[in-house]
Amino acid sequence: MKSLKNIEKELTPKEIAESLIFPDTRSPKQREALLEAYSEHRKKGSAKQSEKAKLIALLLQLKFLIEDYIASDKFNKELYFGYFLKEYIQRLEKKNKEFAQEIDVDPAELSQIINRHRKPTEKLIFRLEIHSNRNFPALLWFKILEKERAYELQHNRNIIEDEKRHVKQRLEFSF
Amino acid sequence: MTVENPLTGEKLEVIIEPAAKEDFKVISKDKIRFSAFDWNKYKEKEVYKLRLKTDQTIQGLMCLRDFPPEMGVNALEIELLEVSAENRQAGKKLSGVAGCMIAFACRESFKRGYQGWVFLIPKTYLIEHYSSAYGFIHFPLITPDRPEGIMELDTIGAHLLIKKYLA
């Protein structure tokens, strides 16, 4: 391990700041005092934050959670399209009916999507992109649906079985 | 999420992921590239590594400490960060490694409901450099023993850093 003095000999302060963050070397008691003071500062900072900044933070949180869920290998049946849509509406502090009007969708249709009784249409997804001013692009919403679809196909073969009678001819071999 | 090859200007995709037990073995053997800290002391903590998408070599390490609302702080602390030796000085192989990791910490802060707030405890002579490099704001929380206080990124600063490094 290199000593701080050696690091300071080799690198300029700018280079150090661009490549290293050092651990706090305070005693537990000193650190506790510091964190207590910071906690007060943090509370004040939060109270001073504008409503817009708070909303941006809430929406960014939702967007990052969606992105990570899409990127993960795991499927969670609670995290379906309607769940994320409901979160989006709630974070905007809107009622479902009000939101349905804003994107020109029948409130009953919106409710069915949120409650997983109906799949969203492409039009709805495009309108979500427009409503969010492209902060939640259509592709993001489609990827949630795609993940749901992939899980359904893996775990519910009946979807395929039901279609068998419609296929009159098929390949005679498999790879 | 990309870093840059300063020689060619080429953007290279990177991945930031939790460091696994095997990584700590590699790091402790790789004393030339990771010489500033004893990372083994942090292996039970929340440590992330940055690597190129196409390569397993670790280019940077970062330890985060979570201060949830019940602890009264509601923010993430970057407890420790180290960019590998070859990426630090003039002639470095990759630039933007630390920026990506700090932006990742900001993203984690948003995800955990801390509104993007991230802080670090600086050495006094580095305060202006953390500020100019990453937009950290110095908050001089004067305690009897240490005058350097804390540096923080709030919602706006964190969002700017995410847009710069993770978009």
Side-chain angles (χ1 to χ4, degrees), chain B residues 22-159:
Chain B
E22 305 77 61
D23 292 319
F24 288 95
K25 287 179 193 165
V26 173
I27 297 159
S28 56
K29 282 181 191 166
D30 205 353
K31 288 193 173 68
I32 294 172
R33 297 180 66 247
F34 290 99
S35 55
F37 310 119
D38 180 2
W39 282 93
N40 264 327
K41 283 187 188 167
Y42 296 84
K43 64 181 170 190
E44 301 303 326
K45 296 194 173 185
E46 191 179 344
V47 176
Y48 294 91
K49 62 175 180 181
L50 181 148
R51 66 173 176 86
L52 294 179
K53 199 174 178 182
T54 53
D55 186 353
Q56 292 297 323
T57 310
I58 298 171
Q59 306 291 340
L61 290 160
M62 174 175 68
C63 179
L64 295 181
R65 190 155 177 187
D66 195 321
F67 287 95
E70 55 271 26
M71 290 175 79
V73 180
N74 215 15
L76 277 182
E77 178 186 7
I78 304 178
E79 201 174 350
L80 201 64
L81 184 147
E82 183 173 6
V83 172
S84 61
E86 73 275 18
N87 296 320
R88 288 181 201 163
Q89 283 169 288
K92 62 178 115 174
K93 290 185 177 170
L94 300 172
S95 68
V97 173
C100 276
M101 287 195 291
I102 296 170
F104 176 86
C106 295
R107 190 179 182 276
E108 279 300 305
S109 170
F110 277 113
K111 270 172 60 190
R112 297 177 198 195
Y114 307 155
Q115 301 174 315
W117 285 56
V118 164
F119 70 95
L120 61 87
I121 296 168
K123 300 232 171 271
T124 308
Y125 70 99
L126 296 176
I127 288 173
E128 61 173 290
H129 299 289
Y130 285 128
S131 183
S132 57
Y134 304 114
F136 276 93
I137 297 164
H138 182 224
F139 181 69
L141 284 168
I142 309 296
T143 54
D145 312 282
R146 292 295 187 82
E148 60 270 70
I150 270 176
M151 297 197 79
E152 64 185 13
L153 286 164
D154 61 9
T155 302
I156 295 166
H159 190 202

